[in-house]
Amino acid sequence: MVIALCALTAYISHMALAVFNDGVRPFMLDFIQKRTTRSATTAVSFGLSAGFIFGLGAPMALVSGVLNPWLLFLPTDILGLLSPKKWLAPLLGAGWGAVVVYGLGGANDLAKKLPVDFLDAMQQMSTPILFLFALFPVLAVTKQFGRLRGGIVGVVELALVVMTMKLWPTVFPGAIAMAVGVLALIGFAIDKDLKQRRADKAAGVSYELPEGVEDPMASLFSASAARLRKYLPLFMVLGAGVCVLAQMKIFGGGEATSFLIAKGQYAEAAQVDFYRVFGFIPLIATTALASGAYGIAGFTLAYPIGYLMPNPFLAALAGAAVFALEVLALSYIGKALGKLPSVRDSSEHLRSAISEALGLAILFGSLMAANAMGGGLGILICGGLYLMNEAMGRPVVRMAAAPVAVIIGGIVLNLLYWMNLFTPIKG
């Protein structure tokens, strides 16, 4: 299944119909309209994706034992764009899928045999990632609506986490808290937009263009939406594949989700990925309409739906239906977002808050892992590598720098052990 899906996503990337990396999508319009070359677009994709593939996707998969979109779909973005021939793209994608399927287990087994097991130590990352991730709605509310509302939402979330841990110890403590936080943010945004529209209407402000004047963005959006609808059957196959992969419980759509899937908490994983959707719908919809290239995972709704499906057949049907609805609704979503500026701003704040919360969680968890495998020396090596990356202008993206530092630190500690200069920490 993994090999087939990687082949399909590489083919779709080659056709410039969809890419996973949100940062690459804005460059796709020039490629589609032949204003830039395939090699130049591939270089952009590689430059924006390499750090996430090797610094985040691979370490997360090794630690959690669960595949993720950075490891599967970012490489197929690159391979699909790189391929000079249409028939070669799926072969390259399938090759990468085979490397992941057959190489991940071997790498894990090899790491487990080392005297300093850095993969086992990296399990320390799960707790800060799961708990700090729950705070992203608080950060988003604070940034958009001020300290008072942010503080209130923060207190409510804390109370809900404590209550969940006390009353429902088998449930992920942040699930209910995140739901309330995201709903509060959306509620505040919609309320602000409705008040603004009422005030503008009372003042006689019109949002309509003068008669005979055509909106150039509307024309571009219409052409992009028509291009994507033309390939609707292919997108439905893609949606079916993504949803089935999620249903197989070997794939997680995010950092926190990967650890929840690994623990068998599928309902909680579905909640987490569902809340993330609100931060990405405006970005994915607008970039898709502006560039003519969709997201490989769509609005990522296929992830939580897949986790909850009882079997792959239902998952395939649900995934195909979801992608069909998303592609057909793109134009309407674009128009609706144009009338709700505060909701658009909320998505920006949500994505920023997710990055900040996970950035701190991954850094803190990586230092905990460094301490678990090497004590003070482990912290010195891993923390030093992270700080050097910052000082050198972040050749490795910040989100991925700490896990990379732990892996390099683990290799260094193993070398020191073989040189009789370090004794592994037990327990």
Side-chain angles (χ1 to χ4, degrees):
M1 186 63 210
V2 171
I3 291 171
L5 187 57
C6 285
L8 176 62
T9 53
Y11 176 76
I12 289 175
S13 172
H14 174 86
M15 298 280 287
L17 291 173
V19 289
F20 182 76
N21 194 320
D22 296 319
V24 174
R25 203 170 300 117
F27 294 92
M28 297 302 290
L29 181 63
D30 285 342
F31 176 63
I32 292 168
Q33 298 182 348
K34 302 188 185 307
R35 293 198 296 263
T36 188
T37 63
R38 182 173 293 278
S39 59
T41 309
T42 303
V44 169
S45 181
F46 181 82
L48 293 174
S49 302
F52 288 101
I53 296 168
F54 301 109
L56 188 61
M60 281 293 170
L62 285 168
V63 172
S64 65
V66 175
L67 300 176
N68 58 68
W70 305 286
L71 183 62
L72 293 184
F73 302 146
L74 289 181
T76 57
D77 280 0
I78 299 168
L79 293 171
L81 290 169
L82 176 68
S83 174
K85 300 293 182 181
K86 190 182 295 186
W87 59 266
L88 182 59
L91 293 180
L92 293 174
W96 175 254
V99 168
V100 171
V101 169
Y102 296 108
L104 197 63
N108 196 294
D109 291 341
L110 177 63
K112 293 289 185 184
K113 294 177 182 177
L114 295 173
V116 180
D117 185 356
F118 56 87
L119 290 185
D120 189 55
M122 288 179 75
Q123 292 288 340
Q124 299 285 334
M125 296 172 64
S126 64
T127 300
I129 286 176
L130 289 173
F131 280 84
L132 288 177
F133 183 77
L135 289 176
F136 78 86
V138 178
L139 302 182
V141 170
T142 304
K143 288 186 174 185
Q144 188 171 6
F145 297 105
R147 286 176 284 185
L148 177 60
R149 292 187 182 183
I152 292 171
V153 173
V155 170
V156 171
E157 279 210 15
L158 176 61
L160 288 171
V161 168
V162 173
M163 183 181 74
T164 304
M165 294 176 74
K166 184 69 175 177
L167 300 179
W168 307 290
T170 59
V171 175
F172 169 51
I176 299 174
M178 278 190 287
V180 171
V182 171
L183 289 173
L185 177 67
I186 295 171
F188 292 150
I190 292 175
D191 180 64
K192 182 179 178 180
D193 282 335
L194 292 177
K195 286 180 179 178
Q196 185 62 50
R197 291 189 73 84
R198 285 196 294 267
D200 290 344
K201 187 176 181 180
V205 176
S206 174
Y207 294 92
E208 303 296 329
L209 289 172
E211 189 175 348
V213 177
E214 185 179 358
D215 185 354
M217 290 304 294
S219 176
L220 173 62
F221 281 12
S222 177
S224 296
R227 178 178 187 264
L228 296 175
R229 286 197 299 271
K230 180 181 175 182
Y231 293 93
L232 185 61
L234 188 59
F235 281 114
M236 292 175 70
V237 174
L238 174 63
V242 171
C243 202
V244 168
L245 189 68
Q247 192 279 331
M248 293 168 70
K249 312 300 190 291
I250 60 168
F251 174 89
E255 301 87 343
T257 316
S258 294
F259 288 110
L260 289 170
I261 292 291
K263 293 179 178 181
Q265 296 178 305
Y266 307 128
E268 289 84 352
Q271 285 181 275
V272 169
D273 271 356
F274 180 72
Y275 304 143
R276 288 173 67 111
V277 168
F278 295 104
F280 288 89
I281 283 181
L283 173 68
I284 294 169
T286 52
T287 54
L289 289 169
S291 68
Y294 197 42
I296 285 292
F299 293 148
T300 69
L301 274 169
Y303 296 162
I305 291 172
Y307 304 148
L308 299 176
M309 286 290 109
N311 61 65
F313 304 105
L314 286 177
L317 292 174
V322 166
F323 263 54
L325 290 172
E326 289 178 6
V327 172
L328 293 173
L330 266 178
S331 294
Y332 302 103
I333 293 172
K335 291 176 183 177
L337 290 172
K339 298 176 182 178
L340 298 169
S342 294
V343 174
R344 288 202 313 273
D345 291 344
S346 292
S347 74
E348 296 284 345
H349 289 298
L350 273 175
R351 290 198 307 278
S352 173
I354 287 171
S355 295
E356 289 182 15
L358 285 174
L360 176 61
I362 290 173
L363 175 59
F364 186 64
S366 296
L367 290 176
M368 289 171 62
N371 181 63
M373 69 183 182
L377 181 60
I379 292 175
L380 172 66
I381 295 171
C382 299
L385 288 170
Y386 179 87
L387 292 174
M388 284 299 295
N389 184 68
E390 291 286 307
M392 292 187 294
R394 295 180 198 146
V396 178
V397 292
R398 177 178 281 175
M399 186 80 77
V404 169
V406 175
I407 293 174
I408 295 174
I411 294 170
V412 171
L413 289 174
N414 276 291
L415 291 174
L416 292 174
Y417 167 80
W418 287 319
M419 295 167 65
N420 226 12
L421 297 173
F422 173 72
T423 302
I425 293 176
K426 303 294 182 183

